[in-house]
Amino acid sequence: MNPATPQPPPYVPGHDLLAGRTAVITAAAGAGIGGATARRFLQEGARIVLGDAHVRRVEESTAALAGEFGADRVAGLPCDVTDEEQVTALFDLAEERHGRLDILVNNAGLGGTADLVEMTDDQWGRVLDVTLNGTFRCTRAALRRMKATGEGGVIVNNASVLGWRAQRGQAHYAAAKAGVMALTRCAALEAAAYGVRINAVAPSLALHPHLVKVTTPELLAELTGKEAYGRHAEPWEVANVIVFLAGDYASYMTGETVSVSSQHA
């Protein structure tokens, strides 16, 4: 008899851990980690501003969440993190709608699979520009505002276990995520002087519809087999750790990357 398919634990209810705070979340439209983080933040009492490069998705997600949690707590704007003007507009919206910025979640990233000998400059550059440079642009925009107010703040970056571990066909993505980890450490040292904490999460395998579209079933089965729990993470399980890092329970943490993974050692 085959063992039962491992199931995720029950969804954790909110506890107002982020009550009254304003958060900008990039790549937050859809069913992935960004979308799960947006919903989790709202359940924890935050006001949110969604950014996403997909115009239709960000409009639909904003409307749906506003209908559920209140239009006064949800705003959204199309934002390509490779475009400085769009990044600036996203943070301007947060200040216009809510008067302040408390939290940034850098979730925008781009993957793909290609062996290095066949990888084009465009493939390499595009992944680095969205995943690493986009995190830099948004972090810079947030820090300028947080420094100016003198009220502190929190930034949480989405890295990956591939920033530490090797996987064939992922040289561009792994390099970008390793860069996000290094950026997190260095920026945290600078930001500490004005009361801003910067940390990162490093998920292994959080399954969502977009990942299924760009990954073969064979590779997904292989990656799932490396997880100690015998299953992938739900996006909201990663979002729970982002909530922790964004909230007061992580008050003495900065420059750290927290692995959200059950991969075998």
Side-chain angles (χ1 to χ4, degrees):
M1 180 181 296
N2 293 328
T5 302
Q7 297 298 311
Y11 192 87
V12 181
H15 294 82
D16 284 336
L17 297 178
L18 305 175
R21 301 178 194 183
T22 297
V24 168
I25 308 169
T26 64
I33 293 172
T37 300
R39 174 170 291 277
R40 181 83 268 180
F41 271 41
L42 287 165
Q43 292 167 337
E44 295 293 349
R47 300 178 295 262
I48 65 170
V49 176
L50 312 179
D52 201 286
H54 298 272
V55 177
R56 177 185 57 82
R57 287 213 308 246
V58 75
E59 290 175 348
E60 292 176 352
S61 295
T62 300
L65 291 172
E68 184 175 351
F69 294 96
D72 60 325
R73 294 179 58 200
V74 184
L77 192 70
C79 179
D80 180 345
V81 296
T82 69
D83 186 310
E84 179 66 18
E85 290 186 0
Q86 293 187 39
V87 168
T88 299
L90 183 66
F91 288 91
D92 286 347
L93 177 61
E95 293 184 330
E96 291 167 6
R97 285 291 300 272
H98 304 303
R100 59 184 296 118
L101 172 67
D102 301 292
I103 302 165
L104 164 64
V105 178
N106 279 310
N107 178 65
L110 181 66
T113 301
D115 283 352
L116 195 63
V117 294
E118 299 172 353
M119 190 179 296
T120 66
D121 283 5
D122 183 65
Q123 285 176 302
W124 174 271
R126 180 64 177 162
V127 169
L128 268 289
D129 200 18
V130 173
T131 307
L132 178 55
N133 296 347
T135 299
F136 154 71
R137 291 185 189 97
C138 292
T139 298
R140 179 177 61 186
L143 284 179
R144 286 173 173 171
R145 288 162 170 79
M146 291 173 176
K147 182 179 180 181
T149 65
E151 297 180 1
V154 180
I155 298 174
V156 184
N157 298 325
N158 192 0
S160 168
V161 293
L162 289 186
W164 293 309
R165 303 170 186 171
Q167 184 175 312
R168 179 172 178 166
Q170 296 295 310
H172 47 359
Y173 184 74
K177 291 300 190 180
V180 168
M181 293 177 177
L183 173 63
T184 299
R185 293 191 294 270
C186 294
L189 287 180
E190 298 179 22
Y194 33 96
V196 177
R197 296 187 292 105
I198 305 178
N199 293 292
V201 294
S204 53
L205 181 62
L207 203 61
H208 52 85
H210 178 68
L211 182 62
V212 171
K213 291 179 182 178
V214 299
T215 310
T216 66
E218 293 78 15
L219 180 56
L220 287 176
E222 177 186 343
L223 295 175
T224 302
K226 295 179 179 179
E227 299 291 333
Y229 290 130
R231 66 172 179 87
H232 59 80
E234 297 295 325
W236 61 262
E237 292 181 288
V238 180
N240 285 348
V241 182
I242 294 174
V243 167
F244 163 71
L245 292 174
D248 294 338
Y249 285 121
S251 61
Y252 198 67
M253 291 180 65
T254 198
E256 299 293 338
T257 298
V258 179
S259 178
V260 189
S261 169
S262 75
Q263 283 193 5
H264 299 169

